[in-house]
Amino acid sequence: MTTQSAAIPAFKPAATSPVLTAALLVTLIAAATIAGAWFFQLVLGIVPCPLCLEQRYAYYLAIPLGALVVLAARSGASRPLLLAGLAILALATLANAGLGTYHSGVEWGLWKGPTDCSGPVVNLGSAADLLSKLDTVKVVRCDEVQWRFLGLSLAGYNVLISLLMAAIAAWGFAATAKR
């Protein structure tokens, strides 16, 4: 009797390759998270603010880069290339955790947010255009929470998810570098 890994020589279990495991997990978590963000936006009608949209950039990077690292690991790419991919994933998701922390602080009123989506609206244009603008523009404020679960907003959950992805990528980097 043969196992699947013995029957298919190109098949390597993910457990034998930390870089493959880490990149695959980061890719899947990023894809699930961005799918959830789109669900909140398109199905539940929770319109993202400018900071929410900026926090999605790391996911838009992590999904294709993570998939490329998975493919590179499966095809036997060099260790420096794989380590570079994991390092970029770790740094991008860690930076995104920082952006999410900033956004959460804006929501909690700990500091001021960007002027284009926080604080009072100061320039409404001419009086003639005001009514037409009010009918067509929906201002989504960065300092107002639209949804909370267990006390955390979506920005707060982004911090946790981004830190998880950064930790996974860092683990994959460290485990691969030791080999």
Side-chain angles (χ1 to χ4, degrees):
M1 182 173 353
T2 62
T3 64
Q4 185 178 11
S5 61
I8 304 171
F11 178 78
K12 298 175 189 168
T16 62
S17 174
V19 68
L20 181 62
T21 302
L24 186 59
L25 282 173
V26 169
T27 303
L28 292 175
I29 292 168
T33 303
I34 206 68
W38 289 340
F39 176 81
F40 274 92
Q41 180 180 348
L42 301 173
V43 176
L44 300 181
I46 298 175
V47 180
C49 73
L51 281 176
C52 294
L53 293 173
E54 287 180 25
Q55 289 170 80
R56 292 182 185 184
Y57 296 159
Y59 296 97
Y60 295 142
L61 170 69
I63 294 167
L65 179 58
L68 283 173
V69 173
V70 167
L71 292 173
R74 300 284 290 158
S75 66
S78 69
R79 182 185 300 194
L81 181 66
L82 297 174
L83 289 173
L86 287 177
I88 293 168
L89 286 172
L91 291 173
T93 54
L94 193 58
N96 199 44
L99 181 58
T101 300
Y102 169 72
H103 188 187
S104 294
V106 169
E107 290 175 341
W108 285 103
L110 300 176
W111 44 74
K112 294 192 181 294
T115 56
D116 64 338
C117 66
S118 301
V121 177
V122 292
N123 184 7
L124 298 175
S126 69
D129 293 335
L130 181 59
L131 288 177
S132 64
K133 285 183 182 178
L134 289 176
D135 287 337
T136 60
V137 174
K138 180 178 179 185
V139 177
V140 180
R141 297 175 51 96
C142 297
D143 55 356
E144 291 180 2
V145 178
Q146 298 182 58
W147 183 87
R148 281 194 199 274
F149 180 69
L150 299 175
L152 285 179
S153 67
L154 291 172
Y157 282 104
N158 174 55
V159 173
L160 298 177
I161 294 166
S162 293
L163 286 174
L164 174 65
M165 291 189 305
I168 291 169
W171 166 81
F173 183 94
T176 302
K178 280 196 296 190
R179 286 184 160 197

